[in-house]
Amino acid sequence: MSEKPPSPKELLQIRHDPAGPDWMDTKPVFRPGTWCYGAVPKHAEYLGLPNPRKWQATDEDWGLPPDWRERILEGLNDRLKRFRSLFVFMDICVRCGACADKCHYFLGSGDPKNMPVLRAELMRSVYRRHHTLGGKLFGRAAGARDLDLDVLKEWFYYFYQCTECRRCSVFCPYGIDTAEITMMARELLNLVGININWIVEPASNCFRTGNHLGVLPHTFKDNVEFAASDLEDNTGVHVDVPINRKGAEILFVVPSADYFADPHYYTFLGYLALFHEIGLDYTFSSFASEGGNFGLFHSNEMMKRLNHKIYAEARRLGVRWILGGECGHMWRVAHQYMATMNGPADFLEVPRSPLTGTVFENARSTKMVHICEFTADLIHHGKLKLDPRRNDHLRVTFHDSCNPARAMGLLEEPRHILRAVCNHFYEMPENTIREQTFCCGSGSGLGTDENMEMRLRGGFPRANAVRHVHEKHGVNRLACICAIDKATLTPLMEYWVPEVNVGGVHELVANALVLKDEKEDRDSDLRGEKWLHMKDDEETGRKPSQDLMEGMDHA
Amino acid sequence: MHDAGKVVAGIAVFAGLVTAPIWYQASVGGAVQPLDLSRDFPVVRPGAPGFEDLPADLALNPDGTPRECVEPTEFMRANHMAILDRWRDQVVREDVHDYRSTTGKTWPHLKLTGTCMKCHQKKAEFCDRCHDRAGEKPYCWDCHLDRVAGGR
Amino acid sequence: MKILVSLVLVVAAVFLALVLAGTGLRPLFGVALPYLAFATFLIGLAWRVVRWARSPVPFRIPTTCGQQKSLAFLPHSRLDNPFTGRQAFGRMVLEVLFFRSLFRNTTATLTRDGRLVYGSEKWLWAAGLAFHWSLLVIVLRHLRFFLEPVPGFVEVLQDVDGFFQVWVPVLYLTDLVIVAAMTFLFLRRVLLPQVRYISLANDYFPLFLLLGIALTGVLMRYFFKTDLAAVKDVALGLVTFRPTAPEAAGSLFYTHLFLVCVLLAYFPFSKLVHVAGVFLSPTRNLANNNRAERHVNPWNPEVKTHSYQEYEEEFHDLMKNAGYPLERE
């Protein structure tokens, strides 16, 4: 990061009542902290992307091909013919303004072009110029404008200030989804080599090594084994973690940060503990070692390229179905795109929980089940022995990740789990959760450090809600089910609400999980924090094994 | 075209709805003639049956010309309801019974049944023809009698 | 400026019609333009829909606004997160008839001590609903001019709309409501900084046009009366293809009709196509059953992929040393 971000007080010197010149007459200023670096040529080349070169948004010359304008206009034309969503969304906005104050970036920056409607108008104005009668005849009077270099730069600035979170789409009376428009805009920008390294490099890594972080197979194995030994230290339970094991019942796919980054790691330990406890017949794949898919933030073709390995590995390893870990955009891809792109998955079986016998009819075609669906089902059937007191040192709130909330509707499963594994669970205000949840501010490939100011701004509405429950209920743990959340909510909390830390749901599951073969003196959570009730028990002389809550049955 | 079935059905429903009046007239309505308002008015003119029954002050104008309406025909077609409404308010609330017309003439002691319907005696032929055609359902006859005593 | 241009255009249209309808050009306003405008509206809107429909829906991308259908013990939100076509239909009904999504609207305010607070904001929803429903009732009421005999439901509608029986002719509630709602929507567009900032001339023009239509209609009904028999002759003449443009219908009527013609002709080329577009919105009209029923993309592209074999080949030695089971030893 080039500059220290402003203080929270400075950051909030914003107004939400735009005034001044017409938006067509203003240009973005590429201030440090508000934009992302251009893609490094070697990664663009590895993926075969057009116009690989070294460039930055602040360069005078962006190094565009001479026919960049034609390429983009042709690309737009082509996409109008391929995506009804784009075509309809270009035409039907009435500018009612319902979306205006729904975007976290607008709320956190006050920049009027971060109002979803205006973000879309950036493209609509060009669309009108070339595809509508009014725009052709009356030009600017009809809200149309030519695509020139300034417009292109504006596209880059603002379409990389949208995290494709879809919150605006919830409120739009026609369901206009700015995420869809941003996705199209990014595809168009990619046609002339305008893209950001924080998306292209992970995509390139993922294509080659199977995961965004570029973790090579031997390191993958090391990391997993290291996690297993950490788990053993903490719980006394020895866990064998299968990798690339043919004939397993289930292929388990996680975002790569889970076995690489903090605090994701504790969630990873959580999976291992849970699977060990229930004796799940599963395997990891060192190649399908990434459920996340930065192709989603690049183009539909790239998404398909990166997603291809999931079914391919499921087929090669001969599993029956696929289980997916805690990740946001991974689940947008798995739920809304995977089977369409790389299916049909007719070589797999309809997922069925080996422990409860529950058949996941809602996944009968894609054959991939969310870990929260799986675990909620286990808890419902009383298959887990849980002691929620083991999370008593945590006062938990839950952040709905954009994609599972608004592109899937996975709302109750994690809550069902949380209510079973901890005694202190508090919801944030209703305008900030479930389908109205606020983005972490760093989704869709924008979670890079040079973009920190925008991230802190975009994350402000989320942090504001967390601060509310922190002050009201003493919340000190923000639980979530997304790898990007875990990575980016952490600095966000440090900045806005430093008393709250971040973790996954399955970390809390494993904390509360009473393992059959756990060590007698297991006395702390996965992070090594002493359990409160153990302290109490020491004082009262009671045995920790007393009062264990049996697996909960809400039937 | 994709989803052709649904799209064509949708367009067909839309086109059917917005052109419904055409189909309605073609089937239910049959041949509709413009209403000829110049004919068949049961207006009682001097010499006509019933003319003698009219009160003397309405039968002839003071100068002996044939009796005329309070306002010109064109004006009455558009504005009669407003005039009736105003009369009612004037008579009931202000005890004013005279009417000063747009032509500058003052007409004394006006009434719906007693004045208008003295001449325009057949409600069915005079009032209802237009009202029904325009879908109007004035509530005049909620209170007023629709025929003059001794009228037809 | 955008406001002024739109206003001037509508006012100009009003004067044009007021003046010219009194001349020999009356048949233009009573006959030719209505036919032309209606044809443009009908064909134009159908053409817009066909154009949209020629583009496929490659991915099933509903925006989910409630709990998905998954485990039997979790209550599924059928209308906000439909799982079947019928449920998606129900969602569309709520959306089209009651503006479900707009009903969620909130307003965010940043307080002085740096807190974001959210309030319920139902005015836009209420005004939008009031405007659209009034417009529908008014259009249906106008069928009394186009249909002979006047069907019962139109009379019922008039009775209900004129329920309070005030004024002569009876005051229709929808006339009041639509003018009030449009005035609110206009004021909102002008007074709210966010909405003013995003507004285009294309937003003010239809608003003024509709307001012009409503006001000329109100003037004609309640203030400067016109000969309804003549109006009915015009309307019936149009739908029976025996058009006529009698002078008796009056200039105000022809002005009203002209503004309607402008609206109809403008309709397919404007944002007003949202009327049709909302039915084609893929975030609303599809069931969120992606994992249960595979959605097919007709142009599913061939892409360059990376196979496990290529992967194993590149990292063969590393994998072997790490003790991985290999496809090729």
Side-chain angles (χ1 to χ4, degrees):
Chain A
M1 193 171 31
S2 43
E3 279 182 21
K4 201 173 144 15
S7 74
K9 210 169 174 181
E10 288 166 344
L11 207 72
L12 289 181
Q13 297 304 312
I14 46 178
R15 299 182 63 97
H16 292 120
D17 50 351
D22 189 89
W23 64 265
M24 281 198 196
D25 297 324
T26 62
K27 292 178 192 175
V29 181
F30 287 87
R31 257 185 319 116
T34 66
W35 54 279
C36 307
Y37 296 152
V40 171
K42 74 167 180 183
H43 294 300
E45 273 159 17
Y46 184 77
L47 291 169
L49 303 181
N51 195 21
R53 75 213 175 283
K54 220 167 124 55
W55 76 285
Q56 297 304 352
T58 44
D59 292 349
E60 190 65 31
D61 179 4
W62 278 23
L64 300 174
D67 61 341
W68 66 267
R69 195 169 167 276
E70 289 69 33
R71 282 201 213 179
I72 288 189
L73 291 176
E74 267 167 39
L76 177 61
N77 200 17
D78 168 50
R79 277 159 187 78
L80 289 167
K81 289 184 184 135
R82 281 193 291 140
F83 292 88
R84 187 183 299 167
S85 51
L86 177 67
F87 206 165
V88 171
F89 294 164
M90 285 292 106
D91 282 327
I92 63 173
C93 176
V94 299
R95 287 163 295 280
C96 71
C99 59
D101 58 358
K102 306 303 179 287
C103 174
H104 51 284
Y105 276 126
F106 176 63
L107 291 173
S109 74
D111 184 337
K113 286 181 191 170
N114 273 325
M115 291 191 276
V117 46
L118 216 47
R119 196 189 310 283
E121 288 288 315
L122 300 181
M123 185 189 279
R124 246 181 231 128
S125 52
V126 173
Y127 163 82
R128 283 194 200 103
R129 183 75 189 79
H130 295 275
H131 296 275
T132 69
L133 189 64
K136 282 178 193 166
L137 291 179
F138 305 114
R140 183 161 168 169
R145 60 177 182 171
D146 281 316
L147 177 62
D148 60 23
L149 206 56
D150 283 335
V151 172
L152 192 75
K153 290 184 175 183
E154 200 181 31
W155 280 20
F156 172 73
Y157 191 71
Y158 290 104
F159 288 119
Y160 284 95
Q161 280 186 12
C162 166
T163 48
E164 306 181 356
C165 81
R166 312 183 96 201
R167 189 168 191 266
C168 48
S169 163
V170 168
F171 297 90
C172 176
Y174 317 117
I176 297 173
D177 182 8
T178 310
E180 195 70 4
I181 293 168
T182 295
M183 287 159 82
M184 293 296 117
R186 291 189 184 181
E187 287 198 8
L188 294 176
L189 291 170
N190 267 302
L191 294 176
V192 295
I194 300 177
N195 40 33
I196 67 170
N197 196 53
W198 218 69
I199 291 173
V200 173
E201 181 172 337
S204 148
N205 283 341
C206 196
F207 197 61
R208 174 163 171 258
T209 67
N211 58 77
H212 291 150
L213 298 164
V215 174
L216 298 181
H218 61 297
T219 316
F220 177 76
K221 199 171 180 201
D222 282 352
N223 285 11
V224 170
E225 282 167 0
F226 193 78
S229 80
D230 261 1
L231 185 67
E232 185 164 2
D233 288 349
N234 182 272
T235 63
V237 172
H238 176 75
V239 174
D240 286 315
V241 186
I243 307 175
N244 292 1
R245 181 167 70 86
K246 287 193 178 180
E249 182 180 355
I250 294 162
L251 171 64
F252 185 50
V253 177
V254 296
S256 53
D258 281 6
Y259 51 84
F260 198 84
D262 185 352
H264 312 64
Y265 186 65
Y266 304 111
T267 300
F268 191 75
L269 299 185
Y271 304 143
L272 299 188
L274 174 68
F275 296 163
H276 170 80
E277 176 65 15
I278 60 177
L280 196 69
D281 177 14
Y282 76 108
T283 180
F284 281 100
S285 157
S286 67
F287 184 43
S289 51
E290 177 68 78
N293 190 326
F294 272 39
L296 173 68
F297 312 138
H298 182 280
S299 65
N300 74 84
E301 287 87 1
M302 188 61 71
M303 185 189 346
K304 183 175 178 184
R305 287 171 72 180
L306 301 188
N307 175 259
H308 177 262
K309 63 178 179 279
I310 307 282
Y311 278 148
E313 279 294 88
R315 190 192 287 269
R316 184 181 72 86
L317 297 171
V319 300
R320 284 188 222 157
W321 54 280
I322 306 168
L323 187 61
E326 295 181 6
C327 185
H329 76 281
M330 150 178 165
W331 271 100
R332 170 124 211 237
V333 177
H335 184 70
Q336 293 200 328
Y337 295 102
M338 180 161 81
T340 297
M341 289 180 157
N342 290 310
D346 43 14
F347 57 95
L348 296 172
E349 292 173 17
V350 176
R352 179 180 168 280
S353 173
L355 288 109
T356 66
T358 298
V359 178
F360 293 92
E361 279 294 335
N362 63 322
R364 62 177 176 261
S365 163
T366 299
K367 276 101 171 176
M368 183 156 170
V369 173
H370 194 288
I371 182 88
C372 285
E373 295 169 335
F374 181 75
T375 304
D377 178 63
L378 290 177
I379 291 173
H380 177 75
H381 286 95
K383 298 292 180 189
L384 303 181
K385 195 170 178 186
L386 297 167
D387 182 0
R389 292 180 309 165
R390 293 176 169 191
N391 281 317
D392 275 356
H393 57 303
L394 299 173
R395 302 174 82 81
V396 181
T397 191
F398 180 67
H399 161 73
D400 288 276
S401 307
C402 311
N403 287 301
R406 286 186 283 260
M408 198 174 174
L410 184 101
L411 306 176
E412 291 303 330
E413 291 85 347
R415 288 177 169 79
H416 189 82
I417 297 171
L418 286 173
R419 287 194 198 100
V421 301
C422 49
N423 289 321
H424 306 291
F425 170 57
Y426 305 96
E427 292 278 19
M428 285 181 274
E430 61 171 330
N431 290 324
T432 69
I433 53 168
R434 298 177 192 265
E435 75 276 7
Q436 299 194 27
T437 188
F438 275 110
C439 180
C440 59
S442 308
S444 84
L446 306 185
T448 168
D449 279 356
E450 72 264 18
N451 192 36
M452 188 54 91
E453 183 185 324
M454 277 322 287
R455 290 171 53 193
L456 295 174
R457 289 183 181 282
F460 168 63
R462 168 43 73 226
N464 179 69
V466 175
R467 186 170 61 193
H468 177 77
V469 284
H470 167 67
E471 287 169 359
K472 196 171 169 191
H473 303 293
V475 161
N476 58 5
R477 169 61 62 86
L478 179 57
C480 57
I481 49 170
C482 167
I484 291 179
D485 280 336
K486 287 167 196 157
T488 68
L489 286 175
T490 302
L492 189 77
M493 289 302 115
E494 279 166 19
Y495 183 83
W496 292 105
V497 204
E499 303 85 354
V500 177
N501 60 23
V502 180
V505 166
H506 278 78
E507 175 189 345
L508 300 175
V509 170
N511 278 350
L513 190 61
V514 180
L515 299 158
K516 285 190 281 280
D517 41 357
E518 72 183 21
K519 59 185 181 187
E520 282 278 313
D521 56 348
R522 184 181 171 200
D523 62 352
S524 59
D525 71 5
L526 293 177
R527 300 187 187 194
E529 283 212 40
K530 276 271 192 303
W531 287 333
L532 285 183
H533 70 282
M534 294 296 286
K535 290 184 191 161
D536 296 345
D537 290 341
E538 279 163 22
E539 283 158 19
T540 58
R542 283 165 62 197
K543 276 184 157 177
S545 56
Q546 287 174 343
D547 306 328
L548 282 190
M549 287 209 35
E550 292 295 317
M552 291 192 138
D553 193 337
H554 295 262
Chain B
M1 193 160 65
H2 300 271
D3 307 314
K6 286 180 194 163
V7 170
V8 169
I11 293 175
V13 168
F14 160 71
L17 283 177
V18 296
T19 57
I22 297 174
W23 313 120
Y24 180 88
Q25 285 319 129
S27 56
V28 185
V32 175
Q33 298 296 330
L35 198 58
D36 184 356
L37 297 174
S38 64
R39 292 187 299 112
D40 301 332
F41 270 95
V43 172
V44 191
R45 298 185 182 282
F51 183 78
E52 286 72 26
D53 300 336
L54 290 171
D57 60 334
L58 283 179
L60 284 175
N61 293 318
D63 60 2
T65 52
R67 173 206 43 87
E68 60 177 296
C69 193
V70 295
E71 293 279 5
T73 309
E74 293 307 320
F75 185 87
M76 284 308 278
R77 280 186 186 158
N79 293 287
H80 60 278
M81 76 300 288
I83 290 176
L84 290 169
D85 187 44
R86 202 158 66 231
W87 285 358
R88 182 194 59 186
D89 290 352
Q90 283 181 345
V91 168
V92 173
R93 296 177 192 162
E94 299 159 28
D95 197 27
V96 173
H97 297 260
D98 295 348
Y99 174 73
R100 191 174 166 82
S101 87
T102 53
T103 57
K105 219 166 184 170
T106 301
W107 299 81
H109 212 73
L110 294 170
K111 293 168 174 165
L112 170 62
T113 317
T115 307
C116 306
M117 299 194 72
K118 276 266 154 53
C119 302
H120 307 293
Q121 291 184 342
K122 292 183 176 171
K123 169 175 173 283
E125 284 174 42
F126 183 73
C127 306
D128 295 349
R129 260 201 321 165
C130 284
H131 285 159
D132 289 350
R133 189 162 177 272
E136 285 290 355
K137 286 195 287 181
Y139 47 85
C140 309
W141 291 279
D142 287 5
C143 305
H144 289 272
L145 296 175
D146 65 359
R147 55 184 61 214
V148 194
R152 286 162 290 183
Chain C
M1 188 58 199
K2 293 165 179 169
I3 306 176
L4 201 64
V5 168
S6 310
L7 186 61
V8 166
L9 280 174
V10 174
V11 171
V14 169
F15 278 107
L16 189 76
L18 267 181
V19 173
L20 295 183
T23 70
L25 286 173
R26 199 167 51 245
L28 182 69
F29 288 89
V31 178
L33 286 179
Y35 277 129
L36 265 178
F38 183 74
T40 311
F41 172 69
L42 184 60
I43 297 168
L45 204 52
W47 169 237
R48 287 301 289 265
V49 172
V50 168
R51 235 161 57 114
W52 287 326
R54 288 205 312 211
S55 301
V57 179
F59 306 111
R60 193 191 279 141
I61 53 165
T63 307
T64 58
C65 300
Q67 170 61 30
Q68 66 169 349
K69 181 175 166 61
S70 58
L71 299 161
F73 59 92
L74 297 177
H76 168 217
S77 174
R78 288 178 179 78
L79 290 172
D80 285 329
N81 191 344
F83 188 76
T84 65
R86 279 169 73 119
Q87 291 165 7
F89 183 83
R91 183 185 201 189
M92 286 303 292
V93 167
L94 282 187
E95 206 64 87
V96 171
L97 297 185
F98 305 108
F99 305 175
R100 169 77 182 98
S101 291
L102 208 50
F103 188 70
R104 295 191 185 94
N105 196 22
T106 57
T107 178
T109 321
L110 185 62
T111 64
R112 282 179 171 201
D113 61 342
R115 277 158 203 282
L116 272 176
V117 291
Y118 309 92
S120 162
E121 163 48 57
K122 299 275 186 271
W123 284 106
L124 174 60
W125 171 80
L129 205 62
F131 163 71
H132 284 87
W133 274 101
S134 295
L135 185 62
L136 177 66
V137 171
I138 289 171
V139 167
L140 290 177
R141 275 206 281 99
H142 275 69
L143 286 176
R144 71 177 170 132
F145 298 115
F146 292 93
L147 304 181
E148 176 63 36
V150 180
F153 81 92
V154 176
E155 296 190 338
V156 169
L157 210 54
Q158 294 188 111
D159 286 348
V160 173
D161 201 356
F163 179 75
F164 290 103
Q165 293 201 343
V166 287
W167 219 335
V168 171
V170 169
L171 177 72
Y172 289 134
L173 289 179
T174 48
D175 288 355
L176 273 187
V177 171
I178 200 168
V179 173
M182 279 195 288
T183 307
F184 173 84
L185 291 172
F186 170 70
L187 289 177
R188 180 182 172 276
R189 206 171 263 294
V190 180
L191 296 179
L192 294 189
Q194 291 167 8
V195 191
R196 183 175 58 228
Y197 196 77
I198 60 175
S199 292
L200 302 173
N202 319 359
D203 300 316
Y204 294 110
F205 178 68
L207 205 46
F208 286 136
L209 192 57
L210 280 158
L211 210 49
I213 292 169
L215 289 179
T216 48
V218 163
L219 284 179
M220 208 171 2
R221 179 170 174 82
Y222 303 105
F223 300 101
F224 307 104
K225 317 248 187 260
T226 194
D227 181 352
L228 287 194
V231 170
K232 181 125 192 182
D233 288 342
V234 175
L236 266 184
L238 286 172
V239 297
T240 55
F241 299 101
R242 264 170 291 191
T244 166
E247 192 182 352
S251 293
L252 192 54
F253 164 73
Y254 287 107
T255 305
H256 183 67
L257 184 60
F258 178 61
L259 293 184
V260 173
C261 290
V262 174
L263 180 72
L264 288 178
Y266 173 73
F267 207 104
F269 308 99
S270 70
K271 69 171 190 176
L272 304 179
V273 295
H274 67 264
V275 172
V278 63
F279 292 96
L280 280 84
S281 178
T283 62
R284 289 293 184 274
N285 68 7
L286 293 168
N288 175 41
N289 56 0
N290 294 57
R291 278 186 292 156
E293 312 280 344
R294 179 171 178 257
H295 182 81
V296 176
N297 173 4
W299 51 262
N300 195 13
E302 283 295 321
V303 293
K304 186 173 179 302
T305 55
H306 197 66
S307 69
Y308 174 81
Q309 285 67 30
E310 290 167 282
Y311 166 85
E312 190 184 289
E313 196 161 316
E314 181 173 0
F315 303 116
H316 184 270
D317 295 349
L318 291 173
M319 293 180 79
K320 192 165 185 180
N321 292 339
Y324 273 104
L326 293 174
E327 297 285 320
R328 213 166 47 78
E329 283 306 320

